[in-house]
Amino acid sequence: MGEKTSAHPGAAGRAVAADRPGNIRNVVLVGHSGSGKTTLVEALALATGAVNRAGRVEDGAAVSDYDEIEHRQQRSVQLSLVPVEWAGIKINLLDTPGYADFVGELRAGLRAADAALFVVSAAEGVEGVAGATRMLWEECAAVGMPRAIVVTHLEAARADFEEMTETCRAAFGGESGDGVLPLYLPLHGKEGPDGHRPVAGLVGLLTQRVFDYSSGTRTETAPDDDQLPLIEEARNRLIEGIIAESEDETLMDRYLGGEEIDVKTLVEDLERAVARGSFHPVLAAAPAQEGARQGLGTVELLELITGGFPTPPERTPPEVTSPTAPPARR
Ligand SMILES: Nc1nc2c(ncn2[C@@H]2O[C@H](COP(=O)(O)OP(=O)(O)OP(=O)(O)O)[C@@H](O)[C@H]2O)c(=O)[nH]1
Ligand SMILES: [Mg+2]
């Protein structure tokens, strides 16, 4: 790795400045080869303005697959850093190769990060969250690394976001599956001639607002009356999940007593639980449409990274060892 790891010269044109550690998030993207990590990095670079136009992996035009070998193989072979800026926070996105041969690059990325995004393809189903990905999840859990899950390939024929969420709960959520829950549900648009219903937006389970991406730019609207009952069950499950993780023990009693807990309190508790590594939100993402800036779910993901993921000083540095000296803290 070493010198090879560099920001793509085209990304942002210049490095994003951050004047203090509190304004930095170091985030590694991990997951099965082909799950969509490089494509997601591209979507985030576009949404934050780090690039002006999204390149596709298969065209050899994605910012984090810049090596000629990557262009030829149409997949990542090395760790790469793509710095982006959102709401005054510098986010260092570390894109890792999913293919097992390049595990050394993955390990280097994990070491440098303070939080991880597990990218899973809904088209792959359970295969994408088994084996190496699941072991990696457990390894991150052992050191308390904050984690979130991003579901991609939402428009694939087999894709079903809710089914994928249940698969993730079973794979990553331990016996109860608690602590692995979606924050948004995808909203499907009109059925096309091929019988598919593309994902047009997201509905926020806490805010009960609709975030519509169908125009290529995120717009916020109120849900239709018939949409609210559809999210009620998932909303209640999420609220109970957040309250169960809350440090405020009175909250559960108040909730069970019928009190409506306000969204701000819930979001703050959620962000604290994410930062502690005890709650793992499931989000959805898709590349931006041709000519558009915002890919579905990019804004929600950036909000989670900046609001819920820890700053470098908040994380305990990893243990370092040398052949001659006993384990020591860095
Ligand atoms: N339809 C669709 N295609 C996607 C999506 N995300 C990624 N792809 C495509 O899936 C293929 C693999 O995506 P990559 O972004 O290269 O996957 P990766 O996780 O970086 O793969 P490795 O670098 O091998 O680990 C590419 O052809 C992408 O264009 C998505 O959300 N929807
Ligand atoms: Mg890649």
Side-chain angles (χ1 to χ4, degrees):
M1 212 279 295
E3 289 175 0
K4 277 194 300 165
T5 304
S6 54
H8 182 272
R14 59 183 170 83
V16 184
D19 56 357
R20 65 197 68 147
N23 288 350
I24 296 176
R25 305 287 183 278
N26 296 314
V27 183
V28 66
L29 287 89
V30 298
H32 210 252
S33 180
S35 58
K37 300 174 291 296
T38 301
T39 306
L40 180 57
V41 166
E42 194 73 17
L44 294 172
L46 182 70
T48 52
V51 295
N52 287 324
R53 155 163 203 270
R56 298 191 317 157
V57 171
E58 47 273 52
D59 300 333
V63 280
S64 63
D65 277 357
Y66 55 86
D67 197 285
E68 198 220 321
I69 305 167
E70 296 178 315
H71 297 167
R72 241 189 354 253
Q73 298 193 2
Q74 298 190 3
R75 67 167 169 234
S76 311
V77 305
Q78 61 187 4
L79 177 66
S80 59
L81 163 67
V82 178
V84 301
E85 189 183 346
W86 178 258
I89 306 278
K90 176 177 179 171
I91 306 169
N92 289 314
L93 297 168
L94 293 156
D95 183 16
T96 65
Y99 198 64
D101 284 13
F102 313 116
V103 66
E105 302 285 317
L106 161 69
R107 304 228 71 84
L110 277 176
R111 187 98 173 165
D114 302 309
L117 290 177
F118 277 68
V119 180
V120 302
S121 159
E124 271 180 74
V126 72
E127 279 162 45
V129 295
T133 307
R134 192 162 162 199
M135 278 164 63
L136 205 57
W137 179 276
E138 278 158 20
E139 200 183 308
C140 291
V143 294
M145 184 183 263
R147 281 147 287 154
I149 299 159
V150 186
V151 181
T152 58
H153 289 83
L154 295 166
E155 65 295 286
R158 277 171 56 203
D160 182 320
F161 177 80
E162 287 180 61
E163 197 181 300
M164 196 58 213
T165 303
E166 287 308 313
T167 304
C168 291
R169 279 171 70 78
F172 303 141
E175 264 169 42
S176 62
D178 287 349
V180 176
L181 286 168
L183 305 185
Y184 303 87
L185 292 185
L187 288 173
H188 292 267
K190 289 202 178 65
E191 192 173 301
D194 54 1
H196 288 156
R197 294 178 65 216
V199 179
L202 298 168
V203 53
L205 294 178
L206 290 182
T207 55
Q208 301 189 85
R209 302 288 291 170
V210 169
F211 306 104
D212 188 349
Y213 283 84
S214 58
S215 68
T217 307
R218 182 186 191 253
T219 51
E220 185 178 334
T221 57
D224 297 339
D225 287 345
D226 56 347
Q227 281 169 334
L228 284 182
L230 298 177
I231 65 161
E232 198 180 308
E233 196 191 320
R235 173 176 158 81
N236 289 340
R237 205 150 73 135
L238 175 61
I239 293 176
E240 279 162 29
I242 295 171
I243 291 176
E245 286 299 334
S246 175
E247 283 165 341
D248 177 357
E249 279 155 20
T250 66
L251 213 56
M252 185 58 95
D253 293 339
R254 280 158 53 198
Y255 175 72
L256 294 175
E259 190 182 321
E260 179 92 10
I261 312 294
D262 71 305
V263 172
K264 191 167 165 284
T265 305
L266 290 170
V267 170
E268 284 169 2
D269 272 333
L270 167 78
E271 290 179 346
R272 276 195 287 268
V274 171
R276 274 201 311 274
S278 60
F279 189 92
H280 314 290
V282 184
L283 292 103
Q289 303 157 28
E290 190 68 43
R293 258 226 113 80
Q294 290 176 324
L296 181 118
T298 48
V299 174
E300 290 70 20
L301 188 49
L302 290 162
E303 285 174 355
L304 176 76
I305 292 171
T306 49
F309 280 175
T311 65
E314 284 169 321
R315 291 277 306 150
T316 314
E319 223 172 51
V320 291
T321 52
S322 86
T324 49
R329 295 265 163 206
R330 210 168 42 169

